[in-house]
Amino acid sequence: MAMDEHTDITTDATTDTATDAVTDTATDASEDVAALAGSDDVTRYPIAPGYRVNVRTGPGTKYGIVRTLPYGMKIPVYCQKPGERVTGPYGTSNIWDNIANGQFVADAYVHTGSDGYIAPRCD
């Protein structure tokens, strides 16, 4: 069963403007994520515009929420792991992206440019 994995489902033509307005804040937040993970030299991928995505302790919606990413966030993907199938703006997938130690987001909400794995599998 596919689950929604975002906290705000409101999207409309004004979303792009609102997302642009928070880009500076989101960039600061993505730098904080990279600092927590211990690396500044990693590719970051954007979260779907207009979505605030939950970060969880494991690869599924039954895992606890660590925090919620702000609009316009770009995240590192250190490794990926199969888990619960989730439907988002980029399709339906069971891939979950590890963005920091013990922190996962559903790949269906991350614009990686691929429907498959773009990083090594997590151990």
Side-chain angles (χ1 to χ4, degrees):
M1 177 178 185
M3 302 285 299
D4 285 336
E5 186 46 23
H6 58 87
T7 59
D8 185 1
I9 59 173
T10 304
T11 56
D12 58 32
T14 62
T15 300
D16 291 339
T17 304
T19 302
D20 291 342
V22 297
T23 300
D24 291 338
T25 303
T27 301
D28 293 342
S30 66
E31 290 168 3
D32 291 344
V33 170
L36 288 173
S39 174
D40 288 332
D41 189 28
V42 65
T43 301
R44 289 181 177 81
Y45 301 91
I47 296 295
Y51 291 90
R52 296 187 57 195
V53 177
N54 293 326
V55 178
R56 296 186 176 271
T57 59
T61 60
K62 292 182 173 87
Y63 289 88
I65 297 172
V66 176
R67 61 198 162 111
T68 301
L69 300 176
Y71 297 113
M73 182 80 170
K74 288 186 178 181
I75 58 167
V77 177
Y78 296 104
C79 62
Q80 294 174 299
K81 169 175 228 176
E84 180 182 350
R85 183 171 288 289
V86 172
T87 298
Y90 299 119
T92 300
S93 175
N94 73 332
I95 298 173
W96 286 71
D97 303 333
N98 175 257
I99 66 168
N101 189 22
Q103 298 183 21
F104 293 86
V105 298
D107 191 66
Y109 288 87
V110 182
H111 188 262
T112 61
S114 173
D115 288 337
Y117 287 85
I118 53 93
R121 288 200 185 206
C122 302
D123 292 332

